[in-house]
Amino acid sequence: MFDLLISSAHAQANGAPAQSPFISFIPFVLIFLVMYFLMIRPQKKRMQEEQNFINKLAHGDEVYTKSGILGKVTGIADKVVTLELDGGAKMKVLKSHIGGSAAALFTEAKK
């Protein structure tokens, strides 16, 4: 460890140019930008699309929950959605647990 300190001090004493502190931060900035465009931005976009879908829910929409239950929307409250399941059973689910449109799910499966 002392060898490293001595060698860097020796290099500076010999007239070697010192590296700018700003240049040492460039790799960190580049890593952050890559992380932002590959991970953070797409996740924010997906969350915004999901929130828009939940806000546009209407009676009669066929949806699926994040736990895999399919149903038709029969009631909407502030935080709760009532789904009518196959056979006429009704179930209350939190809006945040609605995964998406069942129609879109079936069209993706046919492709």
Side-chain angles (χ1 to χ4, degrees), residues 23-86:
I23 292 176
S24 64
F25 287 113
I26 289 176
F28 295 112
V29 172
L30 291 175
I31 290 171
F32 176 76
L33 289 174
V34 168
M35 295 285 283
Y36 177 77
F37 283 107
L38 292 179
M39 295 177 63
I40 298 170
R41 190 171 177 221
Q43 180 65 26
K44 282 184 179 181
K45 186 177 179 182
R46 271 186 245 119
M47 287 175 58
Q48 184 66 36
E49 289 173 357
E50 183 178 330
Q51 190 63 39
N52 289 339
F53 176 76
I54 289 173
N55 290 337
K56 293 179 183 180
L57 277 179
H59 293 277
D61 288 348
E62 291 191 12
V63 297
Y64 64 91
T65 65
K66 291 181 180 177
S67 60
I69 299 171
L70 299 170
K72 185 183 287 189
V73 176
T74 58
I76 301 173
D78 288 337
K79 294 184 179 184
V80 178
V81 175
T82 304
L83 298 178
E84 182 177 348
L85 307 177
D86 202 21

Side-chain angles (χ1 to χ4, degrees), residues 2-34:
F2 290 115
D3 294 335
L4 179 64
L5 294 175
I6 292 171
S7 65
S8 66
H10 183 59
Q12 288 179 1
N14 286 340
Q19 186 177 9
S20 171
F22 295 110
I23 292 176
S24 64
F25 287 113
I26 289 176
F28 295 112
V29 172
L30 291 175
I31 290 171
F32 176 76
L33 289 174
V34 168

Side-chain angles (χ1 to χ4, degrees), residues 93-104:
V93 180
L94 293 173
K95 273 187 178 181
S96 60
H97 285 66
I98 300 294
S101 171

